Amino acid sequence: ETGVTQTPRHLVMGMTNKKSLKCEQHLGHNAMYWYKQSAKKPLELMFVYSLEERVENNSVPSRFSPECPNSSHLFLHLHTLQPEDSALYLCASSQGVGNIQYFGAGTRLSVL
Amino acid sequence: QKEVEQNSGPLSVPEGAIASLNCTYSDRGSQSFFWYRQYSGKSPELIMSIYSNGDKEDGRFTAQLNKASQYVSLLIRDSQPSDSATYLCAVKGEGSNYKLTFGKGTLLTVNP
């Protein structure tokens, strides 16, 4: 398998649930990102990891918790989300922070 | 606050015509510029990157950059219905090692 793979593709959760989004990149990159994409809004950068170290937390609420166990995997742990957190969550990777980013297909999240 | 502005559209062109997509940015020190295409329900994919003033051509696509005017554009020649998508402009600012700032995107519709 090539590129950036995200699972699940769709997720519906209640406000009290705990779930995790998974991202895996097969490109040999050393930087990974989480973005949020809401309707009619620009892509919002949430977190950046470089060589498994978090280099940016872009004022994201603590109900979103990222984890990067190695350079190929990135998780986003979710708990006690709000309905306004419903969005498309995109993972991306690049070789070197800030260089051309390649995106996964995204996880469409609905919070009820 | 670094901003990237795009006309949200929709921009509608007939098949075979030239589609012109425009983007302005606020950070005068920006150095790298990217165009991504995003089909409905899909993730963004890179089309073009441009780093210096002038034109860069790749097949039917031409990116144009004017740093003095803080303006970058994407021309699509011989537009095809398969070009119908949202086009995202992304800008990497000076000194910003990892953050791409995305515009909201322009929806392009190519009519057969």
Side-chain angles (χ1 to χ4, degrees):
Chain A
E1 189 166 4
T2 59
V4 182
T5 304
Q6 289 186 245
T7 55
R9 294 294 310 278
H10 301 274
L11 178 62
V12 179
M13 59 187 290
M15 294 169 62
T16 58
N17 291 160
K18 290 184 179 181
K19 297 287 184 183
S20 296
L21 309 184
K22 178 182 177 181
C23 176
E24 182 174 1
Q25 60 95 2
H26 308 272
L27 300 169
H29 290 163
N30 57 15
M32 298 187 76
Y33 312 78
W34 279 117
Y35 286 89
K36 176 183 178 182
Q37 188 175 38
S38 303
K40 300 183 179 180
K41 294 179 69 174
L43 276 170
E44 301 173 52
L45 179 65
M46 300 175 73
F47 300 104
V48 181
Y49 276 83
S50 173
L51 299 172
E52 302 144 44
E53 179 181 343
R54 189 191 310 179
V55 296
E56 176 157 345
N57 175 347
N58 206 21
S59 301
V60 178
S62 59
R63 56 185 183 270
F64 295 91
S65 175
E67 178 189 3
C68 187
N70 55 61
S71 61
S72 298
H73 294 85
L74 185 65
F75 295 89
L76 188 63
H77 303 301
L78 316 171
H79 65 96
T80 59
L81 295 190
Q82 304 298 312
E84 60 264 30
D85 297 322
S86 299
L88 179 67
Y89 288 85
L90 290 162
C91 174
S93 71
S94 65
Q95 183 54 34
V97 175
N99 292 323
I100 293 173
Q101 296 173 18
Y102 297 86
F103 287 84
T107 295
R108 176 72 62 185
L109 173 67
S110 296
V111 181
L112 304 179
Chain B
Q1 180 76 13
K2 299 174 183 177
E3 294 183 351
V4 176
E5 299 290 338
Q6 294 182 255
N7 188 328
S8 61
L11 173 65
S12 184
V13 301
E15 184 173 357
I18 296 175
S20 179
L21 304 161
N22 304 317
C23 174
T24 59
Y25 58 94
S26 62
D27 183 358
R28 183 169 290 278
S30 298
Q31 297 297 317
S32 305
F33 307 87
F34 308 92
W35 284 100
Y36 285 82
R37 177 177 62 199
Q38 186 174 23
Y39 292 114
S40 179
K42 303 293 186 181
S43 60
E45 56 178 327
L46 182 73
I47 298 177
M48 295 281 287
S49 58
I50 188 166
Y51 306 96
S52 55
N53 280 328
D55 295 359
K56 179 181 178 182
E57 186 174 318
D58 184 0
R60 295 187 296 112
F61 298 95
T62 299
Q64 299 176 316
L65 176 61
N66 184 327
K67 289 185 179 180
S69 298
Q70 295 175 240
Y71 176 94
V72 57
S73 65
L74 179 70
L75 300 179
I76 306 175
R77 290 182 301 281
D78 187 25
S79 295
Q80 301 297 310
S82 58
D83 295 325
S84 298
T86 296
Y87 289 80
L88 303 172
C89 175
V91 176
K92 179 182 171 184
E94 181 182 36
S96 175
N97 291 325
Y98 40 82
K99 184 177 293 188
L100 286 184
T101 301
F102 284 84
K104 292 184 180 181
T106 298
L107 177 61
L108 171 67
T109 301
V110 180
N111 302 306

